């Protein structure tokens, strides 16, 4: 009686594992694994072991398929994702009802479909396969494989009568599902092309119609998640994912989107914890480390003191750097780093910013060749053009985005980073040109422009011991405010009128022909004395000139009673609510701008209180530095 044949499906030579540090070797010698562990183990099972590379000549596709189809046993090593191995497993599953056993190191992470299939695991701690480890692998697998040989192939399990007695009438449910999925995908394509207000209505209909399908089909769930993401409807996205069955909620891609939504709703700490947990279970990736970097970037921007701010900035850089090194082809982590380096301003940070910008550009170009339809590549290249002060490229890329029809989510997600890059520029002529381009970019999402609610630092007194807005910085801050109003496509400004940020913003808005509304906590005479002329009568003259240009309707005097702080708090609340109301009435987008040094001076800091109010109302916040 002939000896039964076992065909071994596995990688050849030495291969990198990309395993997380401490969880598996960086490289595996698969030839040593075969020679010292797997081949002897197969012989111990009384099979003749054959591996593809043992032929004298090349194993052509026909010969490989023949062996997969007729071998008595096929063992496939899934320790690392390998396209050939995955394909050959699929061939065997379709060819034979039984006799396909999948094995993998106990730390490995097979890709999605393979991860759902039963596999036998073994300890693999040293990729060089020393003798004692080889003996342990042989012992570990021998009994397990003997018990798994008779398990039925997923193909034979799923299709009654396969391969030669299939009753098409029993597969009608598949056709019905296929037709329903085709209809769904068509409706998704339509929704993506609609203006935001119409898209929101259409997405609600899709949720009502296909939520049950989403619970059964992962691709439907993911499409609905992406639609909600593109609408920036983060609360609805969280609610939708939380309502899915556990087996879908635990899919890595949905866990990533859930963490992103947590961050976008302001719960950065919980988002980081969720991503950390995902990495511990499923391993790290450039996307996951990049998402954590983004959450630390958000925490950095909101940090209340210098020490916390520095810590969060360093963490953001650390995770973006890790994401970049995990996959140099992924431009998402690297494109965020240049601006963060320039904000940190340590030793070699400027050189790092230049070097990493080059990495990001190369990654974008590679990505564009691999997937020309990737909607993120051109917005990312636009950001790189801003970082490089490349005005012609920025204009060309904006034209490409406009012609392609940018999704609102891509505009809304990219614009804050472009504004951050803009406000880091030193040359006024360059920043003005790029501000105009960014304003056009903003209008791709907000055709009617925006309403900006603004608060900020008063100019420092002559004897100030702490620098918050030094008088010497007045001209550069005025330029930044001017550029910010242009870049945000602002049509209306709502703020108070104190000396410093307020008056500079009102003057810039007047020069640009924007509508202005002033909120004064007290009567104008009291306010002029307490918040304007205490830094010099010249500010009073400018205050008077601005008020003369406005109608009584656009000068709101709250005449607040109580302390000055009570009045300023009331003014902050009114500025935010007024901007939201005006934006809603005019079908515009409301933004909040903070002109400040980035740090709260105390728990009662009125500029920081304004930030918290704007965040509570979920307004996008633009930070304009005074230092």
């Amino acid at each position: 009686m002939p000896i039964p044949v076992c065909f071994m499906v596995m990688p050849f030579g030495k291969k990198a594992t990309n395993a997380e540090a401490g969880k598996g070797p960086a490289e595996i010698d698969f030839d040593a694994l075969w020679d010292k562990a797997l081949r002897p183990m197969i012989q111990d099972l009384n099979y003749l072991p054959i591996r593809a590379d043992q032929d004298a000549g090349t194993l052509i596709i026909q010969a490989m398929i023949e062996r997969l189809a007729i071998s008595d046993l096929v063992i496939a090593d899934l320790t690392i994702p390998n396209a050939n191995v995955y394909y050959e497993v699929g061939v065997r599953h379709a060819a034979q009802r039984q006799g396909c056993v999948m094995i993998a190191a106990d730390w490995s992470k097979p890709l999605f479909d393979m991860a759902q299939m039963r596999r036998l695991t073994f300890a693999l701690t040293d990729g060089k396969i020393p003798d004692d480890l080889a003996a342990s692998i042989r012992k570990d697998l021998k009994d397990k494989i003997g018990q798994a040989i008779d398990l039925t192939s997923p193909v034979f399990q799923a299709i009654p009568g396969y391969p030669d007695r299939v009753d098409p009438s029993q597969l009608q449910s598949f056709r019905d599902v296929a037709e329903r999925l085709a209809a769904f995908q068509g409706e998704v394509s339509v929704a993506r092309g609609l203006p935001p207000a119409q898209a929101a209505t259409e997405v609600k209909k899709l949720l009502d119609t296909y939520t049950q399908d989403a619970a059964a089909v992962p691709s439907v769930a993911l499409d609905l998640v992406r639609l909600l993401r593109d609408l920036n409807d983060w609360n609805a996205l969280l609610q939708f994912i939380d309502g899915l069955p556990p087996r879908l909620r635990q899919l890595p891609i949905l866990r990533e989107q859930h963490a992103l939504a947590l961050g976008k709703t302001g719960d950065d700490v919980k988002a980081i914890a969720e991503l950390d947990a995902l990495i511990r279970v499923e391993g790290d990736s450039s996307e996951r480390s990049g998402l954590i970097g983004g959450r630390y970037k958000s925490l950095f921007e909101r940090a209340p003191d210098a020490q916390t701010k520095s810590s969060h900035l360093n963490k953001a850089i650390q995770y973006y750097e890790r994401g970049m090194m995990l996959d140099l082809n992924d431009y998402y982590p690297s494109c965020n780093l240049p601006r963060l380096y320039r904000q940190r301003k340590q030793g070699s940070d400027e050189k790092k910013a230049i070097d990493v910008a080059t990495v990001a550009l190369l990654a974008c170009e590679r990505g564009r060749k691999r997937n020309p339809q990737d909607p993120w590549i051109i917005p990312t290249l636009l950001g790189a053009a801003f970082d490089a002060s490349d005005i012609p490229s920025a204009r060309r890329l904006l034209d490409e985005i406009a012609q392609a029809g940018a999704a609102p989510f891509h505009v809304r997600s990219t614009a804050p980073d472009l504004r951050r890059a803009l406000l880091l520029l030193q040359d006024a002529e360059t920043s003005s040109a790029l501000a105009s381009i960014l304003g056009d970019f903003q209008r791709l999402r907000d055709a009617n422009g925006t309403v900006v609610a603004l608060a900020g630092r008063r100019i420092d007194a002559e004897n100030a011991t702490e620098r918050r807005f030094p008088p010497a910085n007045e001209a550069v801050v005025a330029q930044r405010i001017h550029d910010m109003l242009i870049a945000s496509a602002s049509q209306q400004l709502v703020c108070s009128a104190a000396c410093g940020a307020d008056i500079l913003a009102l003057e810039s808005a007047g020069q640009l022909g924007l509508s202005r509304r002033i909120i004064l906590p007290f009567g104008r005479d009291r306010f002029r004395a307490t918040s304007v002329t205490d830094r010099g009568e010249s500010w009073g003259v400018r205050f008077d000139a601005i008020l003369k240009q406005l109608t009584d309707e656009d000068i709101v005097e709250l005449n607040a009673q109580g302390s000055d702080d009570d009045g300023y708090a009331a003014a902050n609340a009114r500025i935010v609510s007024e901007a939201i109301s005006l934006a809603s009435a005019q079908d515009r987008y409301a933004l909040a701008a903070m002109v400040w040094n980035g740090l709260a001076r105390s728990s009662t800091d009125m500029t920081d209180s304004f930030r918290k109010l704007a965040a509570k109302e979920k307004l996008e916040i633009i930070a304009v530095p005074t230092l």
Side-chain angles (χ1 to χ4, degrees):
M1 183 175 180
I3 300 174
V5 173
C6 175
F7 188 53
M8 185 71 215
V9 176
M10 65 185 297
F12 306 128
K14 295 178 180 178
K15 296 288 190 296
T17 66
N18 295 317
E20 186 176 352
K23 293 193 174 179
E27 184 180 77
I28 296 174
D29 185 342
F30 281 98
D31 292 341
L33 179 63
W34 166 249
D35 288 331
K36 299 168 72 173
L38 299 180
R39 183 170 58 81
M41 183 270 299
I42 293 169
Q43 289 174 327
D44 289 345
L45 287 168
N46 297 316
Y47 283 83
L48 178 66
I50 296 178
R51 194 177 180 221
D53 66 340
Q54 289 185 301
D55 273 353
T58 302
L59 182 63
I60 61 172
I61 188 73
Q62 180 177 343
M64 182 269 291
I65 290 175
E66 286 176 357
R67 291 184 181 182
L68 288 168
I70 66 175
S71 291
D72 299 280
L73 173 63
V74 169
I75 300 176
D77 188 319
L78 308 180
T79 297
I80 64 172
N82 180 285
N84 287 339
V85 171
Y86 283 13
Y87 172 78
E88 290 163 27
V89 168
V91 170
R92 176 64 179 197
H93 279 165
Q96 291 285 348
R97 175 181 291 275
Q98 296 166 323
C100 183
V101 179
M102 293 179 285
I103 64 173
D106 52 11
W107 45 260
S108 70
K109 301 291 181 184
L111 299 183
F112 175 69
D113 287 336
M114 288 297 193
Q116 299 180 85
M117 296 181 186
R118 186 174 185 267
R119 60 190 183 277
L120 309 179
T121 60
F122 58 93
L124 180 56
T125 54
D126 187 338
K128 295 179 181 178
I129 320 297
D131 292 343
D132 58 342
L133 178 60
S136 174
I137 293 171
R138 292 196 301 270
K139 181 180 178 182
D140 203 14
L141 288 177
K142 182 181 175 183
D143 290 341
K144 293 180 182 178
I145 287 177
Q147 296 168 10
I149 289 173
D150 294 332
L151 294 177
T152 302
S153 149
V155 176
F156 283 77
Q157 282 183 328
I159 305 176
Y162 180 85
D164 52 3
R165 296 191 305 278
V166 177
D167 182 354
S169 66
Q170 295 184 32
L171 301 180
Q172 184 59 46
S173 60
F174 167 75
R175 291 195 178 89
D176 293 342
V177 170
E179 290 175 5
R180 187 170 175 82
L181 285 176
F184 168 72
Q185 289 164 357
E187 292 175 68
V188 167
S189 297
V190 170
R192 285 183 177 139
L194 293 173
Q198 292 175 255
T201 301
E202 189 61 29
V203 170
K204 186 178 184 306
K205 291 179 184 176
L206 289 172
L207 286 168
D208 292 340
T209 305
Y210 292 103
T211 292
Q212 285 189 332
D213 298 86
V217 183
S219 62
V220 173
L222 186 57
D223 276 337
L224 290 172
V225 163
R226 286 170 173 158
L227 286 172
L228 290 167
R229 180 198 66 186
D230 290 354
L231 288 172
N232 293 286
D233 197 344
W234 302 110
N235 287 313
L237 192 155
L238 287 172
Q239 185 178 3
F240 175 72
I241 293 179
D242 289 341
L244 291 172
R247 67 180 182 81
L248 291 184
R249 287 203 308 271
Q250 293 306 309
L251 292 178
I253 191 167
L254 289 181
R255 292 178 69 181
E256 289 170 1
Q257 295 301 308
H258 191 267
L260 174 64
L262 283 173
K264 294 295 186 180
T265 55
D267 201 342
D268 291 304
V269 174
K270 189 172 181 180
I272 291 169
E274 189 162 310
L275 289 163
D276 275 335
L278 176 60
I279 288 171
R280 283 195 298 273
V281 174
E282 298 292 341
D284 204 356
S285 69
S286 58
E287 176 79 6
R288 290 161 198 168
S289 276
L291 286 171
I292 294 178
R295 295 309 95 223
Y296 276 113
K297 181 173 72 172
S298 177
L299 288 170
F300 154 69
E301 290 164 354
R302 301 200 312 270
D305 58 78
Q307 184 176 357
T308 307
K309 208 170 187 68
S310 175
S311 174
H312 289 327
L313 176 57
N314 286 330
K315 282 282 192 182
I317 289 172
Q318 173 191 330
Y319 276 97
Y320 278 132
E321 286 177 337
R322 190 164 91 178
M324 176 178 69
M325 297 310 296
L326 282 168
D327 185 357
L328 290 172
N329 286 317
D330 185 355
Y331 51 81
Y332 165 55
S334 56
C335 74
N336 281 279
L337 280 165
R339 286 153 230 152
L340 295 176
Y341 286 136
R342 286 177 172 137
Q343 286 177 287
R344 188 169 67 176
K345 301 177 184 176
Q346 290 181 359
S348 59
D349 277 347
E350 181 57 31
K351 182 179 185 304
K352 287 180 180 177
I354 294 169
D355 292 344
V356 171
T358 302
V359 172
L361 281 170
L362 290 172
C364 283
E365 292 300 338
R366 286 193 294 270
R368 202 172 193 180
K369 289 177 181 177
R370 293 197 311 271
N371 181 12
Q373 304 306 314
D374 184 345
W376 284 109
I377 289 180
I378 300 179
T380 305
L381 284 168
L382 180 60
F386 270 62
D387 289 332
S389 301
D390 187 343
I391 298 168
S393 292
R395 175 55 67 182
R396 174 180 55 79
L397 289 162
L398 174 66
D399 290 342
E400 284 191 52
I401 293 170
Q403 290 170 13
F409 175 67
H410 300 133
V411 177
R412 189 61 49 80
S413 297
T414 303
D417 285 328
L418 298 182
R419 282 194 275 271
R420 191 175 293 108
L422 179 70
L423 294 170
L424 290 170
L425 297 177
Q426 301 298 317
D427 181 73
E429 185 175 345
T430 301
S431 64
S432 292
L434 289 174
S436 177
I437 292 171
L438 182 46
D440 290 342
F441 183 72
Q442 181 79 40
R443 275 184 282 271
L444 293 178
R445 166 60 180 84
D446 304 294
N448 296 327
T450 68
V451 177
V452 174
L454 181 141
R457 295 296 188 210
R458 296 203 305 141
I459 204 84
D460 289 346
E462 288 184 10
N463 59 350
T465 57
E466 185 177 346
R467 296 171 73 247
R468 296 191 182 96
F469 187 173
N473 289 2
E474 181 185 336
V476 68
V477 173
Q479 179 68 43
R480 289 170 182 165
I481 292 172
H482 190 82
D483 291 342
M484 178 274 296
L485 292 171
I486 294 172
S488 59
S490 178
Q491 299 299 305
Q492 192 156 14
L493 172 70
V494 184
C495 64
S496 195
C499 58
D502 291 343
I503 286 179
L504 293 178
L506 289 164
E507 289 174 340
S508 284
Q511 294 163 10
L512 294 169
L514 310 184
S515 298
R516 293 171 285 176
R517 182 157 296 181
I518 293 175
I519 310 296
L520 301 178
F522 322 113
R524 65 188 68 187
D525 292 338
R526 177 183 169 186
F527 182 81
R528 189 181 190 276
T530 59
S531 301
V532 182
T533 58
D534 61 328
R535 298 292 193 266
E537 181 57 33
S538 63
W539 287 102
V541 172
R542 294 162 77 174
F543 172 84
D544 296 338
I546 291 168
L547 264 61
K548 285 181 182 177
Q549 296 166 5
L550 302 179
T551 65
D552 289 342
E553 181 185 357
D554 285 324
I555 304 171
V556 179
E557 298 175 65
L558 300 180
N559 294 311
Q561 303 300 311
S563 68
D564 286 356
D565 281 352
D566 290 339
Y568 299 138
N572 275 344
R574 183 64 178 268
I575 289 168
V576 171
S577 65
E578 195 83 4
I580 292 172
S581 176
L582 290 168
S584 177
Q586 299 162 17
D587 194 20
R588 291 173 175 163
Y589 181 52
L591 294 159
M594 293 179 60
V595 186
W596 72 327
N597 55 317
L599 296 172
R601 63 173 180 261
S602 69
S603 60
T604 58
D605 187 317
M606 287 300 149
T607 304
D608 192 48
S609 296
F610 172 84
R611 176 187 66 80
K612 292 174 181 175
L613 276 172
K616 185 177 180 181
E617 295 295 336
K618 304 191 183 321
L619 297 185
E620 180 189 330
I621 299 172
I622 305 170
V624 181
T626 56
L627 297 178

